Amino acid sequence: MTEPAWLPATIAVLGVVFDIAIRVFAIVYVPINRRPTTATAWLLAIFLIPYVGFLLFLLFGSTKLPRRRREKQQEINTYIVETTEGMERVTRDHPWPLWLDSVIALNRTLGAMPLVGGNTAELHSDYARSMEAMVEAVDGAHRWVHAEFYITSLDATTEPFFVALENARRRGVTVRVLMDHIASRGYPGYRRTRRRLTRMGVEWQLMLPVQPLRGRYQRPDLRNHRKLLVIDGQVAFTGSQNMIERGYQRRGNHRRGLQWKDFMVRFEGPIVAGVNALFVTDWYSETDELLLREADPVVVADDAPTVDCQVVPSGPGFDGENNLRLFNTLLYNAQERIIITSPYFVPDESMLYAVTTAAQRGIEVQLFVSEIGDQAVVYHAQRSYYEALLRAGVRIFLYRSPTVLHAKHLTVDDEVAVIGSSNMDMRSFSLNLEISVMIRGRSFVRQLREVEQSYRDASRELLLEEWLVRPFRSKVLDNVARLTSAVQ
């Protein structure tokens, strides 16, 4: 049968109309509530590769969690504000910086959590010792254990932790485990890990599962990147360390001798309730089970150590980029010294200005990053910022390979530190659920300075003269990777 003569022309016209419609839609819709750089990157993708770019935008263009999840976050925030009114009881062992009160108020407004005093904070910068400390804490559990890690994987390193959870269950302790779906399933033994948790009688759930056939779907790269452990409401751990061995079970990593260096903090005191509130939020989001009845009342002892802490949650469940706002506020308020440790330093324009402005106004600014990278695109995107940082006067220290410096913390002057799971990149600012803890206390900052010095001893300083003569191919890779970092 011969096709009508008009059919090819009609198909061509419809194709042109559809193509124009996509472009018009993109121009109108894409820039709404997006950074100009992000909107421009998406528009370029849609205009240069219209159908593929448009499909990618539909899959990855929204940085918001489903409405019901955002509503649950607001419910928890309201509860926290109502039940912690007046809890800003802190130590005044010496005069505070004039700017600190406004930072505390900002964090309270953004994340609902108050600043509380009477806490102890024990630093762990050794991977094995940190794992041992978490095992010891679980072994001492009497009522419940809440474990939440971006990556949870059963291997020779984590086996003692799983044994501790199993023993806790045998003692009648309630054990709940949260692990990110996409992150955890990407490692060997994912099914074995799940079977082990089930066999132990642990209550476990996947975070942000991508299971469209079960009606569970959101943008696939919106992930829960938090790492925390809470025992009986008395002890909490948080920081950068995942529940996996130091080489991340990758043969390529093992061949290269790569090992991750992380940083965790063990807390006791009222701040534990704040850390647990994030677990409660995430458990509620995944299960519809509200655990607030298990929350212990916050008690501040008069003779407690003088460490004040404030939990700052962030992620697509919040309207603003809480962690970015906190970091930038601290950077602009610093008076003497800023030391940043971040495995993935890919700042947006606001943070780049905050860091370089601090250096240009005479503040000592140091940045610790790894000499090598485990993620090629992020590694090269990060390198694209080195020239601007060095020209502004920022000192960059490259932690020598084959160790990947995965710790995440910031110190400002001798007063304030921020530790947690958040990288200083646009993924952590916009796409990942993160936990940060702001700590005020000169004793804590002093201890963290010792950790920073250990990084300095294991690093080499990158100088501008060296950087300007790097190979041309490296410059091209760095700048191309930088373009991709804007697409969110």
Side-chain angles (χ1 to χ4, degrees), residues 69 122 180 225 230 233 288 291 293 351 358 372 383 472:
R69 294 187 69 101
E122 180 181 323
D180 187 82
H225 194 242
V230 187
D288 287 326
L291 305 175
R293 63 186 181 277
M351 173 165 277
I372 53 174
R383 286 159 50 97
F472 177 74

Side-chain angles (χ1 to χ4, degrees), residues 134-135 138-139 145-147 152 159-171 173-177 197 200 202 229 243:
M134 288 189 282
V135 170
V138 173
D139 283 339
V145 174
H146 290 164
T152 298
E159 171 67 20
F161 184 77
F162 281 80
V163 170
L165 295 181
E166 186 171 13
N167 290 339
R169 282 294 304 126
R170 289 173 178 168
R171 297 194 304 271
V173 174
T174 299
V175 178
R176 299 183 179 95
V177 173
L197 291 171
M200 289 171 7
V202 168
L229 175 68
M243 191 51 61

Side-chain angles (χ1 to χ4, degrees), residues 116-121 267-272 304-309:
V116 291
N119 306 286
T120 62
F267 291 104
E268 290 188 30
I271 193 62
V272 174
T306 58
V307 180
D308 306 322
C309 305

Side-chain angles (χ1 to χ4, degrees), residues 390-423:
L390 291 168
R391 287 189 182 280
V394 176
R395 297 179 67 187
I396 300 176
F397 293 89
L398 305 178
Y399 200 98
R400 290 189 176 90
S401 62
T403 300
V404 176
L405 183 59
H406 193 244
K408 311 160 199 293
H409 45 81
L410 164 72
T411 53
V412 175
D413 299 339
D414 294 323
E415 299 286 348
V416 174
V418 179
I419 66 96
S421 66
S422 180
N423 298 308

Side-chain angles (χ1 to χ4, degrees), residues 149-443:
F149 291 91
Y150 176 60
I151 299 170
T152 298
S153 186
L154 177 61
D155 56 43
T157 298
T158 62
E159 171 67 20
F161 184 77
F162 281 80
V163 170
L165 295 181
E166 186 171 13
N167 290 339
R169 282 294 304 126
R170 289 173 178 168
R171 297 194 304 271
V173 174
T174 299
V175 178
R176 299 183 179 95
V177 173
L178 288 170
M179 57 182 177
D180 187 82
H181 179 208
I182 299 300
S184 294
R185 74 173 299 174
Y187 291 88
Y190 171 65
R191 294 181 184 275
R192 184 173 67 251
T193 301
R194 295 174 55 171
R195 287 195 299 268
R196 176 70 173 273
L197 291 171
T198 301
R199 188 170 67 249
M200 289 171 7
V202 168
E203 300 176 41
W204 65 272
Q205 292 289 332
L206 299 174
M207 295 187 292
L208 297 174
V210 180
Q211 299 169 323
L213 298 180
R214 301 182 185 181
R216 308 176 77 180
Y217 183 82
Q218 69 285 314
R219 175 173 168 170
D221 60 341
L222 296 181
R223 305 310 330 147
N224 194 319
H225 194 242
R226 294 169 179 154
K227 296 100 174 167
L228 59 93
L229 175 68
V230 187
I231 295 93
D232 293 339
Q234 304 300 312
V235 176
F237 292 79
T238 192
S240 67
Q241 188 169 331
N242 286 297
M243 191 51 61
I244 192 171
E245 61 95 12
R246 287 188 67 186
Y248 276 62
Q249 297 184 13
R250 301 294 193 197
R251 291 182 180 178
N253 292 345
H254 293 161
R255 281 196 300 269
R256 297 168 63 191
L258 297 188
Q259 290 196 329
W260 270 240
K261 183 171 183 60
D262 278 286
F263 180 81
M264 297 286 281
V265 177
R266 180 187 189 276
F267 291 104
E268 290 188 30
I271 193 62
V272 174
V275 177
N276 190 56
L278 291 197
F279 182 94
V280 168
T281 302
D282 293 335
W283 186 264
Y284 180 41
S285 296
E286 303 299 349
T287 68
D288 287 326
E289 180 185 9
L290 199 54
L291 305 175
L292 294 177
R293 63 186 181 277
E294 295 185 0
D296 293 330
V298 177
V299 178
V300 183
D302 292 334
D303 58 348
T306 58
V307 180
D308 306 322
C309 305
Q310 186 174 28
V311 173
V312 184
S314 59
F318 294 88
D319 292 333
E321 296 165 322
N322 298 356
N323 47 358
L324 175 60
R325 293 173 189 265
L326 167 61
F327 295 147
N328 281 352
T329 300
L330 290 174
L331 292 171
Y332 277 117
N333 279 294
Q335 301 299 307
E336 299 172 3
R337 184 180 303 108
I338 297 167
I339 300 183
I340 301 168
T341 303
S342 180
Y344 312 115
F345 186 81
V346 187
D348 75 339
E349 188 172 286
S350 70
M351 173 165 277
L352 182 63
Y353 270 60
V355 172
T356 54
T357 298
Q360 289 165 342
R361 61 189 174 91
I363 306 300
E364 178 187 353
V365 182
Q366 298 182 18
L367 171 64
F368 288 95
V369 292
S370 293
E371 186 176 48
I372 53 174
D374 62 304
Q375 300 180 28
V377 174
V378 178
Y379 171 68
H380 283 287
Q382 173 174 286
R383 286 159 50 97
S384 72
Y385 292 92
Y386 288 173
E387 182 175 341
L389 294 169
L390 291 168
R391 287 189 182 280
V394 176
R395 297 179 67 187
I396 300 176
F397 293 89
L398 305 178
Y399 200 98
R400 290 189 176 90
S401 62
T403 300
V404 176
L405 183 59
H406 193 244
K408 311 160 199 293
H409 45 81
L410 164 72
T411 53
V412 175
D413 299 339
D414 294 323
E415 299 286 348
V416 174
V418 179
I419 66 96
S421 66
S422 180
N423 298 308
M424 290 192 173
D425 66 358
M426 286 179 271
R427 164 162 291 282
S428 280
F429 299 151
S430 301
L431 305 181
N432 289 341
L433 280 71
E434 306 282 6
I435 175 173
S436 300
V437 181
M438 187 178 78
I439 303 164
R440 188 207 72 89
R442 293 188 176 185
S443 60

